[in-house]
């Protein structure tokens, strides 16, 4: 078996060891969906204007946002930081693999795991409790592609935070800044079209919207045709540049890495 | 053939002030409170194929740092490192394929999965052909007596079992060189002997060059043909294990317990050392012993006599003391 795929498979098996953890992940996602549905129903019921999309689309938006949130790699910088702290990072750096690719294929196991053990239960629950629209045909294909590009962006952002551990060891603070920025600027909570026009224009140039706003907008059919192509293009450019940046910084920071003791 | 060449190797660490954590960002940006510590200070040695080298020194001497540079994890500040002709840091992947590394205080095994799974993954990572992998797993399982716990999750293994697993894991891809950083730390005598026996065997039969750091003196006595002793980043001794014994307290002594000894009137064999009522005579040749005893007992009352063999603990103590001086 290919080394990286073997790694994904091992991480996947490793994940399965702690099954209770999964149950709570599903619970927290369902809880968030319920809360967001109530909020948006109240907002739409208050007769506010300029909401752009229908309530049904908005509810779908928040369900998909919750699912994406459970699937994207957002906290493996803690693992990197911990391994720098204990010095175990030398084991990862010593192996005949690319550290970047190794980390990617390890987190990919979480995606697989999430798809099987989190998304399917949530999808089943939401279909039963609060039905949402499901795209078909080409739209579904573009959504999946867009989601994968978004995954690449989210991975790179977390990896970059993790790399800071090579210099600073402890990166919890950086991680929190990243999570907050991602949560606000990506449209995860509030769609970008509800932001003031000026702010929305800036946010549409940044990588963060590629993780949530673009794929979800494709899902609900708000982003179509030329606008969709533009969105996918933007995602691709950001995913590629962030990965390239991660690789360059990995090489630079690796030289600066200090591991003392044992 | 020299498999490892180290030439005037230097490694500095910047020790940032102001504690750890994100605040170090500020310190770094302001460029303050950085102190430079030279952990490896101009080390040179070459190691030949098939050698079994003990790389010794007190804690903090720079042993692990050297091994990290040899395995390509750390970049040298200055000097040259070559492993099988390659610079490890520049050719990290190629180098990784021809060396095996065990850091005794860490594990490369997957904590929550059976030992066997880690072996399989490493086989894939090092691109070992399936038959060769199976053969190696079977061989190491037999030699290291791992049959009983091959399917047990690593977190449930004892330290000795885990260490055997780690050593086997580092050899699955048939590396030419094996670096062992304290592989016998904290092990009981049975586990230790099993591992020593195994290392001896792979060194002899598979011609694996072994570089071993340890604080266990019997590792040195039983395994190491050659010893490199470093302290404060410098080589203090490099030579055969016997050479070390000869040079540092390698002397055997005849020790006599006496009374009424008077140094001024002494005309017997030359005294090497005197401790209270004990007289120490250097033995250069076993044949001298009888005449020495006879000569001494003519002059003083001998209550007891012993022959002191060189003890490796004493040698190491002497070497440590040399580093302090």
């Amino acid at each position: 078996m290919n080394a990286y795929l073997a790694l994904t498979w091992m991480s996947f098996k490793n994940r399965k060891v702690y099954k209770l953890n999964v149950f709570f992940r599903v619970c927290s996602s369902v809880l968030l969906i319920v809360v967001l549905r109530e909020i948006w129903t109240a907002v739409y019921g208050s007769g506010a204007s300029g909401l752009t999309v229908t309530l049904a689309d908005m509810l779908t938006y928040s369900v998909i946002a919750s699912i994406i949130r459970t699937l994207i790699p957002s906290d493996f910088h803690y693992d990197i930081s911990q391994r720098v702290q204990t010095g175990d990072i030398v084991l990862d750096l010593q192996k005949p693999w690319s550290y970047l690719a190794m980390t990617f294929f390890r987190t990919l196991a979480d995606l697989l795991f999430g798809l099987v053990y989190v998304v399917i239960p949530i999808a089943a629950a939401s279909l039963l409790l609060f039905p949402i629209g499901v795209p078909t045909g080409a739209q579904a294909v573009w959504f999946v592609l867009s989601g994968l590009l978004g995954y690449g962006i989210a991975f790179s952002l977390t990896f970059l935070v993790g790399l800071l551990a090579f210099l600073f060891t402890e990166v919890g603070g950086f991680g929190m800044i990243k999570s907050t920025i991602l949560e606000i600027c990506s449209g995860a909570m509030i769609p970008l079209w509800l932001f003031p026009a000026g702010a929305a224009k800036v946010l549409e140039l940044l990588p963060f919207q590629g993780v949530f706003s673009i794929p979800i907008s494709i899902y609900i059919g708000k982003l179509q045709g030329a606008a969709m192509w533009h969105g996918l293009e933007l995602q691709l450019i950001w995913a590629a540049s962030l990965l390239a940046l991660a690789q360059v910084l990995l090489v630079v920071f690796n030289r600066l890495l200090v591991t003392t003791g044992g | 053939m020299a498999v490892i060449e180290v030439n005037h190797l230097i490694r500095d660490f910047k020790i940032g002030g102001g504690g750890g954590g994100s605040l170090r960002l500020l310190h770094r940006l302001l460029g303050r409170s950085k102190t430079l510590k030279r952990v490896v200070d101009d080390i040179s040695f070459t190691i030949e194929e098939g050698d079994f080298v003990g790389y010794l020194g007190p804690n903090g001497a720079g042993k692990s740092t050297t091994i990290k540079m040899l395995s390509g994890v750390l970049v040298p500040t200055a000097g040259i490192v070559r492993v099988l002709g390659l610079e490890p840091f520049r050719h990290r992947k190629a180098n990784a394929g021809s060396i095996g590394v065990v850091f005794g205080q860490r594990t490369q095994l997957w904590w929550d999965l059976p030992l066997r799974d880690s072996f399989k993954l490493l086989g894939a990572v090092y691109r070992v052909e399936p038959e060769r992998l199976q053969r190696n797993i079977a061989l190491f399982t037999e030699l290291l007596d791992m049959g009983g716990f091959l399917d047990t999750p690593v977190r449930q293994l004892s330290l000795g079992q885990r260490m055997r697993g780690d050593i086997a894991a580092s050899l699955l891809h048939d590396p030419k060189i094996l670096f062992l950083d304290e592989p016998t730390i904290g092990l009981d005598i049975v586990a230790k002997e099993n591992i020593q026996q195994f290392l001896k065997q792979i060194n002899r039969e598979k011609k694996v060059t072994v570089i071993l750091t340890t604080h266990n003196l019997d590792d040195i006595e039983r395994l190491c043909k050659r010893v490199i002793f470093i302290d404060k980043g410098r080589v203090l001794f490099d030579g055969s294990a016997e050479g070390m014994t000869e040079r540092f307290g390698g002397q055997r002594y005849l020790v006599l317990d006496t009374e009424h000894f008077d140094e001024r009137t002494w005309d017997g064999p030359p005294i090497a050392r005197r401790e209270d009522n004990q007289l120490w005579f250097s033995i250069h040749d076993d044949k001298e012993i009888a005449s020495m005893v006879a000569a001494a007992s003519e002059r003083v009352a001998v209550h007891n006599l012993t022959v002191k063999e060189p003890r490796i603990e004493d040698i190491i103590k002497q070497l440590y003391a040399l580093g302090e001086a």
Side-chain angles (χ1 to χ4, degrees):
Chain A
M1 209 192 318
N2 174 287
Y4 293 114
L5 293 180
L7 201 59
T8 306
W9 176 235
M10 277 285 278
S11 309
F12 185 74
K13 273 168 88 174
N14 203 34
R15 266 286 184 193
K16 284 200 293 190
V17 175
Y18 301 105
K19 292 194 186 78
L20 195 64
N21 190 27
V22 183
F23 176 71
F24 287 109
R25 253 172 92 185
V26 175
C27 289
S28 79
S29 286
V30 171
L31 200 66
L32 190 63
I33 290 172
V34 171
V35 171
L36 285 174
R37 284 180 67 89
E38 290 306 317
I39 291 174
W40 286 116
T41 310
V43 169
Y44 274 75
S46 72
S49 62
L51 291 169
T52 318
V53 298
T54 64
L55 175 60
D57 277 349
M58 195 58 238
L59 296 181
T60 306
Y61 189 102
S62 43
V63 171
I64 302 301
S66 301
I67 291 176
I68 289 181
R69 194 178 283 113
T70 64
L71 290 181
I72 57 167
S74 55
D75 53 12
F76 67 83
H77 59 272
Y78 283 113
D79 303 336
I80 298 180
S81 162
Q82 202 188 3
R83 287 180 81 77
V84 171
Q85 228 163 63
T86 58
D88 282 352
I89 191 83
V90 298
L91 297 168
D92 301 332
L93 294 174
Q94 190 269 321
K95 293 275 176 309
W97 55 33
S98 142
Y99 183 71
L100 179 65
M102 184 278 287
T103 312
F104 182 80
F105 281 91
R106 273 184 85 149
T107 48
L108 209 56
D110 289 349
L111 174 66
L112 285 183
F113 189 80
L115 284 173
V116 177
Y117 292 93
V118 182
V119 171
I120 292 175
I122 292 180
S126 57
L127 279 177
L128 285 173
L129 301 173
F130 19 83
I132 57 165
V134 178
T136 51
Q139 196 191 348
V141 174
W142 298 128
F143 163 71
V144 170
L145 181 69
S146 175
L148 288 176
L149 288 171
Y151 182 90
I153 294 172
F155 168 81
S156 311
L157 291 173
T158 308
F159 188 81
L160 286 167
V161 173
L163 269 189
L164 291 176
F166 281 41
L167 298 188
F168 307 117
T169 311
E170 175 58 60
V171 292
F174 297 107
M176 274 165 85
I177 293 173
K178 187 221 72 178
S179 296
T180 310
I181 292 176
L182 184 64
E183 193 65 28
I184 294 169
C185 301
S186 66
M189 277 287 179
I190 301 158
L192 292 190
W193 57 80
L194 295 180
F195 277 71
K201 270 217 157 52
V202 175
L203 295 182
E204 273 164 20
L205 293 173
L206 297 178
F208 311 111
Q209 58 146 347
V211 184
F212 286 95
S213 186
I214 295 177
I216 308 175
S217 299
I218 292 175
Y219 187 98
I220 63 172
K222 189 175 178 295
L223 221 49
Q224 287 177 339
M228 183 184 79
W229 293 120
H230 179 68
L232 287 169
E233 196 180 74
L234 208 95
Q235 281 186 298
L236 186 64
I237 291 169
W238 270 120
S241 355
L242 287 172
L243 276 176
L245 179 67
Q247 180 56 40
V248 170
L249 287 185
L250 172 62
V251 172
V252 176
F253 287 8
N254 197 354
R255 294 188 77 92
L256 300 173
L257 178 69
V258 171
T259 60
T260 41
Chain B
M1 191 189 92
V3 287
I4 294 175
E5 290 169 65
V6 174
N7 243 317
H8 300 294
L9 182 64
I10 289 174
R11 170 72 207 206
D12 293 333
F13 281 148
K14 285 195 188 92
I15 312 291
S22 305
L23 269 182
R24 265 172 67 189
L25 174 63
L26 282 176
H27 286 277
R28 280 190 179 240
L29 289 177
L30 299 173
R32 298 189 302 182
S33 56
K34 255 184 285 181
T35 46
L36 217 56
K37 189 172 179 238
R38 185 148 288 189
V39 184
V40 170
D41 188 4
D42 197 18
I43 282 182
S44 302
F45 57 79
T46 45
I47 290 173
E48 302 294 320
E49 187 172 14
D51 250 351
F52 203 124
V53 180
Y55 196 56
L56 313 178
N59 292 323
K63 303 184 298 285
S64 293
T65 304
T66 315
I67 291 207
K68 282 172 194 162
M69 286 192 277
L70 288 168
S71 52
V73 180
L74 282 183
V75 55
T77 304
I80 294 169
V81 184
R82 278 183 201 285
V83 175
L84 296 164
L86 293 178
E87 279 184 69
F89 191 77
R90 284 210 196 136
H91 305 94
R92 190 178 55 80
K93 280 199 224 174
N95 184 49
S98 48
I99 64 168
V101 189
V102 176
F103 294 103
Q105 315 206 46
R106 318 182 182 289
T107 181
Q108 57 169 326
L109 306 170
W110 286 57
W111 207 239
D112 294 312
L113 298 177
L115 188 55
R116 191 191 293 278
D117 284 6
S118 287
F119 289 169
K120 280 190 199 152
L121 176 74
L122 286 166
V125 168
Y126 284 95
R127 297 171 210 287
V128 184
E129 308 90 71
E131 305 84 60
R132 188 152 63 97
L133 182 66
Q134 283 313 318
R135 215 166 47 234
N136 278 346
I137 292 178
L139 176 69
F140 299 149
T141 303
E142 191 204 317
L143 293 179
L144 286 167
D145 197 15
M146 299 189 296
F149 55 88
L150 209 48
D151 293 302
T152 311
V154 173
R155 75 182 124 82
Q156 292 172 16
L157 300 182
S158 73
L159 180 63
Q161 293 172 329
R162 202 217 77 205
M163 191 64 77
R164 281 181 270 167
D166 255 307
I167 291 175
S170 68
L171 286 165
L172 291 172
H173 57 292
D174 292 318
K176 289 203 160 55
I177 306 171
L178 179 62
F179 296 105
L180 298 156
D181 197 355
E182 302 192 34
T184 52
I185 191 165
L187 299 189
D188 66 47
I189 191 125
V190 178
K192 208 155 70 179
E193 278 178 3
N194 184 221
I195 285 175
Q196 286 169 343
Q197 195 56 41
F198 175 75
L199 293 176
K200 210 170 202 166
Q201 200 165 348
I202 58 138
N203 172 250
R204 201 174 50 219
E205 286 166 21
K206 289 200 161 208
K207 302 277 175 276
V208 179
T209 309
V210 184
I211 290 95
L212 167 87
T213 83
T214 185
H215 294 291
N216 260 336
L217 300 166
D218 50 323
D219 286 349
I220 306 167
E221 280 179 316
R222 287 190 197 163
L223 299 172
C224 301
K225 298 172 193 159
R226 177 179 164 196
V227 169
I228 299 175
F229 187 93
I230 67 164
D231 190 19
K232 300 200 173 71
R234 288 171 170 276
V235 176
L236 296 184
F237 176 83
D238 180 358
S240 67
E242 297 92 57
M244 180 176 78
T245 323
E246 264 169 37
R247 201 172 129 194
F248 301 97
Q251 194 62 265
R252 294 163 70 222
Y253 292 97
L254 171 70
V255 180
L256 303 180
D257 287 12
T258 64
E259 253 175 282
H260 314 303
F261 168 74
D262 188 347
E263 204 166 348
R264 285 161 300 181
T265 60
W266 181 256
D267 58 351
I271 295 165
R273 195 155 59 161
R274 195 182 154 203
E275 285 175 11
D276 298 328
N277 290 327
Q278 282 192 336
L279 302 179
W280 293 53
F281 303 93
S282 307
I283 302 172
H284 303 285
D285 188 342
D286 282 1
K287 291 176 200 134
E288 302 170 347
I289 297 177
S291 59
M292 257 195 268
V293 174
S297 52
E298 276 171 20
R299 292 169 176 83
V300 286
V302 175
H303 300 307
N304 192 9
L305 66 97
T306 42
V307 173
K308 293 255 188 225
E309 297 290 335
R311 287 195 325 166
I312 198 135
E313 285 93 335
D314 297 334
I315 297 167
I316 297 291
K317 263 186 224 153
Q318 273 207 357
L319 279 164
Y320 281 17
L322 204 66
E324 294 302 316

